[in-house]
Amino acid sequence: RRLPVVVVVVAHITIAAHAMVDALPPCHARADVVVEFGVGHELLVRNADAAGASDAPTVVRWSALSDARARVAERTAHALLTLRATENASMSRGTYVEDEFATLHAFSRAVTEALDEVSESSAGDAGVALSRAVWELLEGYFVTKGGGLGVGTDEIVSWYRKNAANLALGKDSASARLRVLLDAFNQSARPEEELGYWDMIATMVAIGWIDAAIDLINMHSSWAEWRLRKTSVQPQVELMEAAVALLQTLPRLGGDDGGAANVPQFTSFRNAWLMQVKSVLAEGGLFNSCWGPTADGVRAVLLVLSGDERVITARTGNWIELMLAQLQHRYPTLKINGEHESLAQASKRTKGPLMSDALDSLLLAVMAGDAQGVVSVCSRHLDAWFMAYSTAMLSRSGGAKADVLRRPTASGASQSELYMLEYCSALSTSKRTRHLAVSVLAACSPQRGSEMISQALMRMAVEEDVDETEDDAHARAAYARAVELNLPSTSARIARMASERARANGYVALAFDWLRECGDLHGSDMLARGVARVAESDHGDPSAALVRVDAFMAKNGDVLARAGDGVNDAAEDAGVAALTDTCVDFYRARATFVNAMRALREDAAAGAREAKIAADALVAALAPRASPPELWPALIIDAAPLFESSFDACELFSPDAVRLLAARAHGASALGVADSARALDALAISRDPARDAATIDVMRLALARDAIARLTARVALESIGA
C-alpha cells in the first residue's frame, strides 16, 4: 500500500542523477564528486578536484513548481491552515466529532474555489485543470455524497459538464465532437445541415448538458425564417418549441432552483413530465409534416428524455457518458454511495474501457469509495500538492478504507503525513513558496518536519536583497518565525549566521545586535575584543582603538544596552561587586565613564554624583577579563583627572577598587615599556610625526601612575581618619 511513495522517491533520485551529470563542469578522470542535500528537492554538487574545489556548488533541483502550481499552493494554503486550526480548536473544546463534517466540508469547498480561481487565470495549464477535475470528483463522492438525500445525480452530471474537456477521453467524447462541430459552424449558414448536428444535440441531452443543447437548437435556421414569416418552417418550429419546453422543465431533485424537496415528490413530478414527453412523441402528424432531419433529430432527443436505452447507448461516446445518461434519464434516484459503482461497471461492459487506463481505474475506485485505490492511481499521475491535499481530505472522509490513510506506517508517520512532508519538501525548494512550507509543516507535521522547517528558515535567512542594506529584513523575518515556532536552536543558528554576515559586510552594530538576540555572550565578547584590538595602522597607540570604541558607542550605544541592567545597578557599592566580566560590558562601562567625565568637564552643576558614576564605570572597565590589556594605559591616562580631583577619595573608590587600579597601572607600565619601545624604534626609523605622540603617552602614563599612588595614600589616610 505504501509502494507509490517509494516509487515517487526513486523517480526523483533518478531525475536528480541525470540532472547532476548535465550540470557538472568537466573534471579529471579520477576526480571525486561531492554531493550534499540542500533544501527540499535540491542537491548541491561540486567537483572535488583542484580546479573545482574553490567553485561554488552547482544547484540541482527537481519537481520544481511552475508558476501556475505556485499559485495553487499560495491560494489553497489558507484552507489547509484553517482546517488544522479549526480541528485544534475543536479538540480543545472536546467537540471534534461533532465538528468534523462541517470542518471537512468547509476545507473542500475552499480548495475548490481556489482551484477555480487559479484555473481561470491559468488557462491552458493542463495540470491545474486535471487537478481541479479530480479534486471535485473526490469531493462529490467522499465529502458531499449527494447531500442530505444521498442522491448525487445532478452533482456528478455538473462535474462532467465542467471538466470533460480536461479528461482526455478521445475523439468520440462529447467535448471532442462538440469542438469539431463548432469549427464547422464557422463556415456554414445553415448549422442544421452540418453532419452530426442533431446527434450532438441528442448526446448533450443524454449527458445532461441541457443549456448547451438548447443553444444548439436555437442555432437552427428555421427560427430566423419563421421570424421572417416563412410559413413553410412552421412544423419545424413547433416541434423544436415543444422539445425546448420539455428540456426547460426537466425535473430536478433538490437545489435552490425549485427542485423537488424529496425523492417521492421528484418521482411524482417526473412521472407527470414523462407523460408530456410521450404525448409529444405520439404526435405523428406533426413529425410527418416536418422536414426529415429535424423530425428525426427531435424524435431522438425525446426518446433520450423518455429513457430509451437503445438511443441513449447509441448517442454516448464512452462508458462514463453512458453512465451519466442512465443516471439522468433512467435511474435518477440512485444513491451515490454503492449504487453508482454497479451502474458504472455495467456501462463499462457495454461501451468498453476508456482510452486512459489510469482514468478508468480512478473513476471506478472513486465510485467504489476505495480511498486507497484512489491514492494508488493518483500517486502515479498527479503532483505532490494534489497528493498532500487529497489524502488530507480522504483521511477525514470516514470509513475503514479512508482510516487506513491516518494509521501509522513503519516510519511512525501516516500515509497522509508522508505525502504532506513530500509536498512541503517541494515547497521549500522554491524561494517563492518556502514560507508556505514552514507554515504548513508547523501546522500539519511539527515534529517530523522540524528539521525541514529549520533548513527552510536558514535558507530564508540568507536570502539577500538586490541592493545590500543593513536592515537584514530576510534574516529578521526568519528569526522571528523560528522564535514564534519555539525553535530555539534554529533561531540561535540564524542569529549567529546573520551576525557573521553583518560583520563581514562591515555592519558591526548589526553584528552585535544579532549576537545579543541569541544570547551569545562569548561571541559578543570576541567581536568586541576584535573591534577594540590595537591595529597595525595604530602604530602601537592604544588610544586610537579606544577612540574607535568611543565613536562606536556614541553612534550605536543602544545596540549594547541591556534592559534593566547597568554598570551601577549591579553593585551595592563601588567595590569589586560592581566588576563586570566581558568585553561587551567593558564597552558599556567605558561609555558610562566617558559620559560622566564629559559632564564633570562641561556642566558646572555636576559634582560628587557624576564623579561617583565615573569612578564606578572605570573600575568596571578595568575588571578582570573585561577589557583588552592593551587598552589599560589609555584608560588609566583618561582617568588621571579623576584621581587628582577634590572629591572625597573614599566615596569614589573602595580599598579593593584602589588595589585593582594599582595592579592595572603596574600592568599597563609593563606593557608600555616593551610595546612603547618597539613602537618608538619603528617610528624613529620611519621618522613619523606620531613618534612625539607616543612619547607623550608614555609620560602621561607615568604621571597617571603617580596619581594612583597618591590616590592610594589618600584613601588609606581618609579611612584611618574615618
Side-chain angles (χ1 to χ4, degrees):
R1 291 295 187 181
R2 295 190 297 275
L3 183 59
V5 179
V6 177
V7 171
V8 170
V9 173
V10 173
H12 285 173
I13 293 175
T14 304
I15 293 171
H18 287 295
M20 284 166 48
V21 173
D22 296 336
L24 278 173
C27 59
H28 297 303
R30 303 194 60 169
D32 293 327
V33 175
V34 179
V35 181
E36 299 174 348
F37 281 102
V39 178
H41 295 161
E42 181 181 83
L43 292 177
L44 307 179
V45 189
R46 62 168 62 88
N47 291 330
D49 58 1
S54 60
D55 295 340
T58 299
V59 179
V60 180
R61 297 186 178 94
W62 65 96
S63 298
L65 296 179
S66 65
D67 181 67
R69 290 295 185 182
R71 287 202 302 275
V72 169
E74 292 165 347
R75 288 290 293 115
T76 57
H78 179 71
L80 182 62
L81 298 178
T82 301
L83 170 70
R84 294 296 299 130
T86 304
E87 288 180 337
N88 291 336
S90 297
M91 287 180 180
S92 64
R93 293 193 305 266
T95 59
Y96 180 83
V97 176
E98 294 86 341
D99 300 340
E100 186 174 18
F101 172 76
T103 302
L104 177 59
H105 186 80
F107 167 67
S108 65
R109 276 288 86 199
V111 173
T112 299
E113 292 170 1
L115 288 174
D116 284 341
E117 180 180 328
V118 177
S119 295
E120 292 176 0
S121 61
S122 306
D125 192 301
V128 174
L130 180 61
S131 294
R132 182 189 69 175
V134 180
W135 178 269
E136 291 180 354
L137 181 68
L138 297 182
E139 183 184 25
Y141 278 93
F142 288 92
V143 180
T144 57
K145 303 177 182 179
L149 299 175
V151 178
T153 299
D154 289 343
E155 187 174 357
I156 303 307
V157 167
S158 175
W159 167 81
Y160 187 73
R161 179 170 60 249
K162 180 179 179 181
N163 298 289
N166 302 314
L167 297 179
L169 293 169
K171 62 182 180 61
D172 293 331
S173 66
S175 57
R177 289 163 52 205
L178 181 59
R179 282 194 295 269
V180 173
L181 187 61
L182 292 177
D183 290 340
F185 285 172
N186 295 329
Q187 303 174 358
S188 174
R190 301 177 68 85
E192 68 275 11
E193 294 181 356
E194 292 297 327
L195 182 65
Y197 172 79
W198 280 107
D199 282 344
M200 188 71 250
I201 292 175
T203 296
M204 290 193 291
V205 170
I207 61 179
W209 298 4
I210 303 301
D211 292 338
I214 293 174
D215 289 340
L216 274 186
I217 292 175
N218 289 333
M219 294 176 68
H220 200 289
S221 62
S222 295
W223 299 104
E225 294 174 356
W226 177 250
R227 286 191 291 271
L228 294 175
R229 302 184 183 280
K230 187 176 181 179
T231 57
S232 61
V233 299
Q234 181 177 356
Q236 299 181 62
V237 171
E238 290 179 351
L239 196 56
M240 289 189 294
E241 280 181 339
V244 169
L246 290 170
L247 290 173
Q248 291 173 335
T249 57
L250 183 71
R252 304 286 183 185
L253 178 60
D256 300 326
D257 55 353
N262 51 57
V263 173
Q265 187 181 59
F266 170 77
T267 302
S268 176
F269 289 170
R270 177 173 168 76
N271 289 337
W273 177 82
L274 284 174
M275 292 294 293
Q276 297 175 13
V277 173
K278 292 175 180 178
S279 79
V280 175
L281 279 171
E283 293 288 340
L286 185 59
F287 280 95
N288 291 334
S289 62
C290 185
W291 181 54
T294 299
D296 294 340
V298 172
R299 181 179 289 107
V301 168
L302 296 177
L303 288 173
V304 168
L305 293 177
S306 67
D308 187 289
E309 186 173 5
R310 179 184 57 82
V311 177
I312 288 175
T313 302
R315 295 301 191 277
T316 50
N318 51 60
W319 73 256
I320 182 63
E321 292 182 357
L322 175 58
M323 173 196 164
L324 293 173
Q326 296 201 58
L327 277 176
Q328 183 85 358
H329 303 293
R330 289 176 59 81
Y331 314 109
T333 59
L334 284 184
K335 300 293 183 181
I336 197 170
N337 281 344
E339 296 180 351
H340 280 202
E341 180 192 9
S342 58
L343 183 59
Q345 294 286 5
S347 300
K348 183 178 178 180
R349 287 192 296 270
T350 301
K351 285 289 189 178
L354 300 175
M355 287 185 59
S356 168
D357 292 337
L359 181 60
D360 207 283
S361 300
L362 175 64
L363 290 171
L364 292 175
V366 169
M367 293 173 189
D370 183 3
Q372 281 287 77
V374 170
V375 170
S376 178
V377 175
C378 291
S379 64
R380 296 193 294 271
H381 301 280
L382 293 168
D383 66 346
W385 173 89
F386 188 87
M387 296 310 302
Y389 275 69
S390 64
T391 52
M393 176 175 69
L394 292 173
S395 62
R396 292 165 171 81
S397 63
K401 294 182 179 179
D403 288 343
V404 173
L405 296 173
R406 305 181 73 169
R407 295 174 189 168
T409 62
S411 66
S414 66
Q415 288 190 57
S416 179
E417 187 177 7
L418 289 174
Y419 280 116
M420 191 63 69
L421 289 170
E422 173 69 13
Y423 168 58
C424 290
S425 184
L427 286 179
S428 62
T429 307
S430 170
K431 176 181 177 180
R432 174 176 176 177
T433 56
R434 198 164 286 140
H435 68 288
L436 294 179
V438 173
S439 298
V440 172
L441 284 168
C444 301
S445 187
Q447 294 181 345
R448 293 181 179 85
S450 60
E451 183 60 29
M452 196 185 302
I453 293 175
S454 177
Q455 292 178 350
L457 288 174
M458 288 296 296
R459 180 61 65 86
M460 290 166 60
V462 300
E463 294 171 357
E464 296 184 6
D465 297 323
V466 176
D467 299 323
E468 178 65 34
T469 60
E470 195 174 350
D471 61 1
D472 230 359
H474 291 297
R476 291 199 177 280
Y479 179 84
R481 195 74 173 102
V483 172
E484 179 186 353
L485 297 176
N486 193 27
L487 299 172
S489 62
T490 301
S491 60
R493 288 169 59 194
I494 291 173
R496 292 191 184 95
M497 177 277 301
S499 176
E500 293 173 3
R501 187 172 63 179
R503 181 70 180 91
N505 291 330
Y507 304 140
V508 180
L510 183 60
F512 272 118
D513 198 21
W514 276 116
L515 291 172
R516 183 192 61 178
E517 289 282 1
C518 66
D520 188 350
L521 297 179
H522 176 71
S524 299
D525 187 51
M526 296 303 295
L527 179 58
R529 290 181 185 276
V531 175
R533 186 172 295 112
V534 178
E536 292 182 4
S537 60
D538 298 331
H539 302 293
D541 181 10
S543 61
L546 204 56
V547 168
R548 285 197 300 274
V549 172
D550 293 342
F552 174 82
M553 290 302 291
K555 181 180 179 181
N556 305 295
D558 57 324
V559 172
L560 298 185
R562 182 180 297 169
D565 185 26
V567 174
N568 296 310
D569 297 335
E572 296 179 359
D573 53 38
V576 177
L579 301 182
T580 51
D581 203 29
T582 69
C583 198
V584 172
D585 293 321
F586 155 69
Y587 273 58
R588 300 190 188 100
R590 169 65 183 178
T592 304
F593 172 80
V594 170
N595 292 334
M597 292 298 288
R598 183 184 299 111
L600 287 172
R601 288 193 305 269
E602 300 174 357
D603 189 354
R609 178 178 177 276
E610 286 72 19
K612 176 61 175 173
I613 292 174
D616 290 346
L618 175 64
V619 172
L622 291 169
R625 299 184 301 278
S627 56
E630 60 268 26
L631 298 187
W632 291 346
L635 290 169
I636 293 172
I637 290 171
D638 287 351
L642 187 63
F643 302 151
E644 301 283 15
S645 68
S646 60
F647 298 110
D648 188 337
C650 285
E651 292 295 329
L652 295 182
F653 300 101
S654 68
D656 289 336
V658 172
R659 283 191 291 273
L660 174 66
L661 292 174
R664 289 291 186 256
H666 178 74
S669 297
L671 288 169
V673 170
D675 295 344
S676 297
R678 285 193 297 269
L680 289 173
D681 290 342
L683 291 170
I685 294 173
S686 64
R687 310 188 71 80
D688 194 305
R691 174 183 56 187
D692 295 336
T695 304
I696 292 172
D697 282 343
V698 172
M699 296 173 61
R700 292 176 63 193
L701 177 60
L703 293 174
R705 285 191 65 195
D706 292 341
I708 292 176
R710 289 190 292 273
L711 174 66
T712 303
R714 286 176 57 194
V715 171
L717 291 174
E718 290 178 7
S719 299
I720 295 173

